[in-house]
Amino acid sequence: MLKIENLCVAYGYVEALKGITLNVEEGKIVTLIGANGAGKSTTLKAIVGLAKAKSGSITYQGKNLLQEETKNMVRNGITLVPEGRRVFSNLSVLENLKIGAFYRKDTKKIEEDLEWIYELFPKLKERTWQQAGTLSGGEQQMLAVGRALMSRPKLLMMDEPSLGLAPLIVKEIFNIIKEIHKQGVTILLIEQNANAALKIADEAYVLETGTITIKGTGSELLKDDEIKKAYLGES
Ligand code: ATP
């Protein structure tokens, strides 16, 4: 579905990605893990055209994404849940969700999808009229995911959904990611929480200072000694 080949991205003299190759097959959960500054966010930015590729290629369903404008990504079925949630604080939960469907005209389907989101996130339903800025961190993350789903993505990309959340909430978010995946959405998940991400991932890649150093299935990487030492806090 999504193929990245030999992708290089630089910010001035800083080489953030030094020729990465990564494949997301339709129907899979793929995770990209790595430490701070490894280049994870840059990868997502390059996919949606917010960071400029110096060389390499990105194709999505056979289309060259490097020639697509960022504003067309959602229409192509690619939606990004950005790091730090970025909900519209002064708007209600419902208004935030409706913004996720901004380009759609199928009013009836939008209503159905709203019900679907409320089923996935009962807490959001309880808080329909609440200002998004007054939600807890976990609820804001749920809202950011719900808003992304309102665009009916084929490929949902998430940038560190567990960042800054308590362990119980992280568990809830990951259960929801699994549920969304079960309902047919392909997922590319960027995480520092390697343990949680590898547990749900079909395929996983480790990014270290702009280079993919290890790849395998989620369960293979969970058993890998180097990963255990460097990312899972085991020795
Ligand atoms: P984090 O989890 O901290 O967000 P990350 O793995 O997502 O880390 P990136 O944000 O992709 O890492 O950053 C990769 C490298 O590129 C880092 O060295 C970072 O300092 C640099 N970088 C990122 N954005 C910019 C920018 N706009 N200008 C200059 N350098 C940047």
Side-chain angles (χ1 to χ4, degrees):
M1 182 180 219
L2 178 79
K3 270 197 164 87
I4 300 181
E5 274 171 357
N6 295 320
L7 179 70
C8 294
V9 175
Y11 301 103
Y13 294 113
V14 180
E15 279 189 78
L17 296 177
K18 302 169 189 162
I20 66 162
T21 293
L22 181 154
N23 198 6
V24 181
E25 265 180 64
E26 185 157 11
K28 296 272 162 82
I29 300 183
V30 177
T31 190
L32 180 61
I33 58 173
N36 269 327
K40 304 181 301 298
S41 300
T42 301
T43 306
L44 292 189
K45 284 181 190 153
I47 295 169
V48 299
L50 290 173
K52 200 170 166 349
K54 210 167 93 181
S55 58
S57 66
I58 306 179
T59 51
Y60 167 77
Q61 296 187 320
K63 208 181 239 184
N64 177 3
L65 275 196
L66 295 181
Q67 285 176 355
E68 285 284 309
E69 285 182 64
T70 304
K71 67 175 166 58
N72 294 329
M73 290 299 161
V74 173
R75 248 176 266 264
N76 284 330
I78 303 177
T79 303
L80 172 65
V81 183
E83 188 177 338
R85 299 142 207 162
R86 311 241 185 105
V87 296
F88 298 99
S89 310
N90 297 326
L91 301 183
S92 69
V93 166
L94 180 63
E95 285 165 331
N96 268 277
L97 290 174
K98 286 197 166 160
I99 284 171
F102 73 93
Y103 82 93
R104 296 175 55 184
K105 304 218 157 49
D106 47 347
T107 326
K108 198 157 163 274
K109 281 286 292 158
I110 293 175
E111 286 302 319
E112 282 171 26
D113 284 346
L114 198 55
E115 286 311 311
W116 171 51
I117 309 286
Y118 283 155
E119 263 168 45
L120 278 172
F121 304 101
K123 274 188 197 148
L124 293 185
K125 188 168 186 176
E126 284 165 28
R127 295 169 190 278
T128 309
W129 305 109
Q130 193 169 321
Q131 261 197 355
T134 64
L135 297 173
S136 72
E139 290 160 354
Q140 289 192 21
Q141 184 62 58
M142 289 174 195
L143 179 56
V145 176
R147 183 182 59 189
L149 289 177
M150 284 300 287
S151 69
R152 271 280 167 195
K154 295 193 189 91
L155 173 63
L156 181 67
M157 306 198 297
M158 300 173 145
D159 197 350
E160 304 212 20
S162 76
L163 196 71
L165 301 179
L168 263 184
I169 312 287
V170 172
K171 216 169 159 194
E172 210 178 323
I173 297 275
F174 275 81
N175 281 335
I176 288 165
I177 297 174
K178 273 197 286 188
E179 184 56 37
I180 294 167
H181 169 250
K182 254 200 229 153
Q183 300 194 18
V185 183
T186 305
I187 290 173
L188 175 57
L189 173 68
I190 304 290
E191 262 299 340
Q192 272 192 60
N193 185 338
N195 193 27
L198 292 176
K199 276 188 186 146
I200 65 164
D202 298 301
E203 301 289 334
Y205 294 80
V206 178
L207 189 60
E208 285 175 30
T209 53
T211 306
I212 304 268
T213 52
I214 305 176
K215 70 171 193 173
T217 65
S219 46
E220 278 167 1
L221 266 60
L222 271 174
K223 288 187 232 135
D224 186 295
D225 284 337
E226 268 180 60
I227 305 255
K228 279 188 191 169
K229 251 193 265 167
Y231 298 100
L232 303 175
E234 297 173 31
S235 52

